[in-house]
Amino acid sequence: MQNKKTWKVTFRAFLYLLPMLIIIGVFNIYPIFKSFAMAFYENYNMFSGENDGYTLENFNILFSDEEFHEALTNTFVYVLFVTPISIIISLFIAIMLNNIKFLRPVFQSIYFLPFVTSTVAISIVWRWLYHSNYGLINYFLGLFGIESINWLTSPDWAMPAAIIMSIWKSLGFNILLFLVGLGTISKTYYNAAKIDGASTWQRFRNITVPLLSPTIFLVSIISFINNFKVFDEIYALFNGQPGPSNSTITVVYYLYKKFYTEFDYSVAAASGIVLFVIILIFTLAQLWLNKRFVHYR
Amino acid sequence: MEVQFNDVSMTYDGSSRTVLNDMSFTIEDHSLVSILGPSGCGKSTTLMLISGLLFPSGGKITFNDRDVTRLDAVSRKVGMVFQNYALYPHLSVIDNIAFPLKMAKVSKKERMETAREFADLVQISDHLNKKPNQLSGGQQQRVAIARALAKKPSILLMDEPLSNLDAKLRTVMREEIRRIQQQTGVTTVFVTHDQAEALSISDKVMVLDQGVIQQSSTPMDLYENPQNLFVAKFLGSPSINTFSLDQIADALPERLVAQLKKKDVETIGIRPESLTQTEPGAGLFTGEVTHIEIVGKERTVKVKTADGTEVIIADIPVVFDVGDQVSFGSKPASLFYFDSEGIRMVISDAE
């Protein structure tokens, strides 16, 4: 192999990278810049590409749109419920799995299944589970004397229904990451902590959490970003609707609706940029927290 | 605190090998006891059983006559220094030392005071705010000892604490351990495979092989009165020379040989340092000098006898060269006699 970094070698390397670069350029890089530009176009014509220059009017329309406010609120509610609950539950399950030897691969696969199943298929199953008359969930609630809930048809219950399904769906991937993280914590720390008189909870608080913090951080960043982009869970669970009477509309759903049903391309692009800024702020905040609280070995 | 094992046996789950076999011993209060043995002899297992990190498959363990056999490590409240120290990597030195106190819910002010006090004791006070990975091996070791002592345990366990240190530091740290043990008076159990470590710092040494206590005595006594061939061979460096009775019977008084034969003695052991040079042909054996090693004040000579046995002789004036035929003998009192089972036989009237 030629190791010197001459111009010739560099050029040849670029040639090998070129096919992938072209694909990424056409389908990722260019659209990013184009959508930024689109958000600022005045009277944009998608098909001819004509516009009357740049304006901030699109954002004005966006922020005065009642529906967009609702989409923002719903997205925040969704993210702030799904992310922490999913992390806590999957951490709990991962620790349980980490402590059993028997059948561990079997359980691991079972928990991972939702992650590799298509969202549409999952949503069809959950639509049955949530069914107000024949659903399994209402049947179980009935056993405890709780009246059946109109999960999918009541505006009050649609969001909780989406949140519960999403938490369940996200467990597998988080558990997988947590198991990898737990595997890197040496057992001697637990032995030392036992000798030092730490109870099970104290060992969790003082050993597991700090030594797992890099993984917890990674999982929370991935979950926050993914959950802010929620669309297909809503679309599939409510059969192509943003929930009963628009009750579960999210920012991406709003973007989709503006783009494909209202052909308001510039406002759609503007809403995308707002979401981008929100995710950016959250990620920066987490990076800052990471610096302060996460311990890297 | 006095620790007592009554017929303790240990077999790991899913393994048919018995690690410890009906082991009984007592560790006296305020003493420093070493458990010495080759790797795989069950010495670390013994320590884990005292700590409560492992439970015996049979037998009874008591602390000061209190049965603790079924108590786990959290409630036994012993102090332990691990082989790799197991310092918490995310905590500073002072927090590491204070950790057991934090677990015991001691107030912050009080536990910082105690932690400082123990940091002083192990002389690590200059590094209180460093993380473990910023410390050298010897410093980590000091922190580990301070952490083990901080909760004022009634017994301190050390699992090969010096094995990760370099030779010079090892000597320093073993004296440190002795000093700290005497200063605090804590009952200490020290596991090692290194005889020099065990013999130099312990009040009592327990020699273990294949899960059975071979002998338990003071360092001096172990060396001078080994109860069996294993202990005789394991202690002493260079290790003891052994001959079969037939090999040197001709050089021994007839009466003694008769006595030895009657007692079924098969092996005779002679320490390298109790051999002295004799007139040619006299002494116990004659052989060709194959190797002379002089390192500082230590002299080691290897001699090969006519039947091919290699004998090591130490601490003698070297007045010969490699290739010379030299004879060596020893006072009859410095010979050790072992029967076919390897048990030491004491011949009362040797002369």
Side-chain angles (χ1 to χ4, degrees):
Chain A
M1 270 302 279
Q2 162 74 270
N3 284 325
K4 266 194 203 151
K5 285 177 188 156
T6 58
W7 280 110
K8 204 177 145 197
V9 175
T10 311
F11 177 72
R12 197 157 65 201
F14 268 116
L15 271 186
Y16 285 116
L17 292 172
L18 198 61
M20 202 56 211
L21 278 178
I22 291 175
I23 293 172
I24 291 176
V26 169
F27 292 101
N28 287 32
I29 312 284
Y30 171 74
I32 288 174
F33 286 102
K34 187 69 188 171
S35 67
F36 262 90
M38 263 166 72
F40 295 95
Y41 284 155
E42 199 173 356
N43 297 326
Y44 179 52
N45 185 325
M46 175 80 164
F47 301 100
S48 61
E50 285 167 9
N51 60 67
D52 303 338
Y54 296 100
T55 170
L56 283 176
E57 184 57 26
N58 298 322
F59 289 92
N60 232 341
I61 298 169
L62 192 65
F63 287 122
S64 51
D65 187 354
E66 209 45 51
E67 199 176 22
F68 185 68
H69 292 170
E70 209 177 310
L72 272 180
T73 320
N74 282 340
T75 307
F76 272 100
V77 167
Y78 178 89
V79 168
L80 294 179
F81 272 97
V82 174
T83 313
I85 294 175
S86 167
I87 288 175
I88 289 165
I89 295 177
S90 48
L91 182 56
F92 179 77
I93 294 173
I95 289 170
M96 296 286 126
L97 281 176
N98 202 37
N99 284 330
I100 59 167
K101 290 190 196 101
F102 184 65
L103 286 182
R104 180 177 153 174
V106 177
F107 282 112
Q108 218 169 313
S109 315
I110 291 174
Y111 282 111
F112 197 63
L113 270 178
F115 184 72
V116 289
T117 311
S118 91
T119 310
V120 175
I122 286 173
S123 300
I124 291 171
V125 174
W126 277 84
R127 281 223 297 273
W128 271 106
L129 291 174
Y130 279 135
H131 195 283
S132 49
N133 295 330
Y134 310 115
L136 202 58
I137 293 174
N138 277 343
Y139 171 76
F140 275 114
L141 291 178
L143 292 181
F144 297 100
I146 299 168
E147 262 182 63
S148 61
I149 294 167
N150 294 324
W151 290 101
L152 300 178
T153 48
S154 145
D156 293 337
W157 284 102
M159 196 41 141
I163 288 170
I164 290 169
M165 184 188 84
S166 303
I167 291 171
W168 176 81
K169 182 176 172 283
S170 64
L171 289 181
F173 186 62
N174 294 351
I175 289 171
L176 189 79
L177 290 179
F178 280 135
L179 277 175
V180 173
L182 286 171
T184 64
I185 303 177
S186 162
K187 206 169 173 277
T188 51
Y189 296 130
Y190 290 103
N191 279 342
K194 272 188 205 165
I195 291 283
D196 288 342
S199 62
T200 312
W201 170 248
Q202 284 174 320
R203 289 199 294 276
F204 173 76
R205 252 310 278 115
N206 293 288
I207 308 293
T208 310
V209 171
L211 293 185
L212 198 62
S213 56
T215 311
I216 296 173
F217 172 70
L218 175 76
V219 170
S220 76
I221 287 250
I222 294 177
S223 304
F224 263 111
I225 294 177
N226 273 337
N227 291 333
F228 267 118
K229 298 190 303 185
V230 56
F231 171 73
D232 36 358
E233 282 86 353
I234 305 281
Y235 187 87
L237 185 61
F238 298 101
N239 214 0
Q241 295 297 317
S245 60
N246 242 6
S247 57
T248 59
I249 190 162
T250 62
V251 175
V252 177
Y253 207 109
Y254 177 89
L255 186 154
Y256 164 83
K257 196 171 142 190
K258 284 285 164 215
F259 197 96
Y260 284 105
T261 57
E262 295 173 16
F263 309 109
D264 214 341
Y265 306 117
S266 287
V267 175
S271 70
I273 283 166
V274 171
L275 185 63
F276 165 76
V277 171
I278 291 170
I279 292 176
L280 187 69
I281 290 169
F282 260 80
T283 308
L284 289 177
Q286 286 185 80
L287 282 172
W288 179 77
L289 284 172
N290 168 44
K291 239 184 215 162
R292 293 205 45 183
F293 297 110
V294 175
H295 170 79
Y296 288 99
R297 269 161 287 175
Chain B
M1 188 176 63
E2 188 183 273
V3 178
Q4 208 163 22
F5 269 44
N6 288 316
D7 298 327
V8 171
S9 299
M10 183 67 199
T11 310
Y12 283 105
D13 293 343
S15 141
S16 54
R17 206 172 72 90
T18 310
V19 185
L20 295 182
N21 216 338
D22 286 343
M23 188 189 245
S24 300
F25 62 81
T26 306
I27 292 167
E28 283 154 33
D29 205 359
H30 304 305
S31 64
L32 198 166
V33 175
S34 293
I35 304 178
L36 177 65
S39 54
C41 71
K43 54 190 191 299
S44 288
T45 307
T46 310
L47 205 68
M48 297 285 248
L49 287 172
I50 302 176
S51 71
L53 289 172
L54 282 179
F55 295 111
S57 21
K60 201 169 120 181
I61 301 170
T62 56
F63 287 179
N64 279 347
D65 296 329
R66 191 169 64 102
D67 188 349
V68 296
T69 318
R70 289 287 131 204
L71 284 184
D72 69 356
V74 179
S75 35
R76 279 200 205 174
K77 303 195 191 321
V78 300
M80 185 158 173
V81 178
F82 290 82
Q83 185 169 2
N84 54 5
Y85 317 133
L87 297 177
Y88 307 119
H90 55 291
L91 298 179
S92 65
V93 167
I94 183 106
D95 287 336
N96 258 291
I97 300 175
F99 188 82
L101 302 169
K102 190 179 172 195
M103 294 305 104
K105 305 207 165 67
V106 174
S107 76
K108 181 155 189 175
K109 188 168 159 274
E110 203 178 317
R111 68 177 188 249
M112 285 301 146
E113 252 167 45
T114 318
R116 281 213 178 79
E117 193 182 301
F118 280 96
D120 279 345
L121 177 74
V122 300
Q123 296 166 0
I124 195 78
S125 307
D126 298 341
H127 309 282
L128 289 184
N129 293 318
K130 286 188 183 165
K131 290 277 169 70
N133 61 10
Q134 295 169 291
L135 300 176
S136 69
Q139 291 167 335
Q140 290 190 24
Q141 155 107 68
R142 286 164 193 271
V143 179
I145 295 174
R147 182 180 67 182
L149 289 171
K151 60 179 167 181
K152 306 202 169 80
S154 36
I155 180 161
L156 175 66
L157 309 174
M158 299 184 142
D159 187 4
E160 305 234 7
L162 305 175
S163 59
N164 289 346
L165 305 178
D166 62 61
K168 203 149 199 180
L169 197 55
R170 213 178 286 182
T171 327
V172 174
M173 283 313 294
R174 80 182 182 215
E175 278 157 23
E176 279 291 289
I177 289 172
R178 186 59 176 161
R179 173 184 69 81
I180 293 163
Q181 194 267 333
Q182 281 175 342
Q183 215 167 321
T184 55
V186 61
T187 311
T188 304
V189 183
F190 185 98
V191 159
T192 180
H193 64 266
D194 182 346
Q195 46 166 314
E197 259 168 50
L199 297 178
S200 62
I201 65 170
S202 323
D203 296 318
K204 213 170 165 189
V205 178
M206 203 156 84
V207 182
L208 213 62
D209 186 42
Q210 294 177 349
V212 178
I213 299 177
Q214 302 294 323
Q215 189 171 354
S216 177
S217 192
T218 61
M220 204 62 176
D221 190 45
L222 277 179
Y223 184 74
E224 289 179 344
N225 287 309
Q227 275 171 9
N228 60 36
L229 195 54
F230 177 83
V231 177
K233 278 183 168 169
F234 197 72
L235 294 178
S237 168
S239 69
I240 197 165
N241 297 301
T242 53
F243 298 93
S244 68
L245 178 57
D246 300 337
Q247 262 178 309
I248 55 168
D250 294 346
L252 295 171
E254 259 174 55
R255 231 183 92 212
L256 176 63
V257 175
Q259 231 178 354
L260 294 178
K261 287 211 164 131
K262 210 173 92 195
K263 285 224 176 181
D264 194 23
V265 167
E266 207 176 78
T267 314
I268 298 178
I270 313 171
R271 294 260 181 228
E273 58 275 21
S274 47
L275 284 163
T276 48
Q277 198 180 350
T278 61
E279 294 295 316
L284 291 171
F285 62 91
T286 304
E288 187 191 327
V289 177
T290 55
H291 183 86
I292 300 175
E293 191 181 275
I294 302 180
V295 182
K297 63 176 175 50
E298 282 169 29
R299 284 129 212 263
T300 317
V301 176
K302 281 185 187 164
V303 172
K304 202 168 202 171
T305 63
D307 59 10
T309 315
E310 193 170 72
V311 186
I312 300 172
I313 302 125
D315 297 345
I316 47 155
V318 178
V319 291
F320 40 75
D321 278 320
V322 171
D324 289 358
Q325 288 287 329
V326 190
S327 297
F328 289 94
S330 157
K331 278 184 282 180
S334 350
L335 300 185
F336 297 108
Y337 309 109
F338 302 98
D339 71 2
S340 52
E341 306 270 278
I343 310 288
R344 167 99 181 274
M345 291 284 126
V346 179
I347 308 295
S348 47
D349 89 287
E351 289 299 316

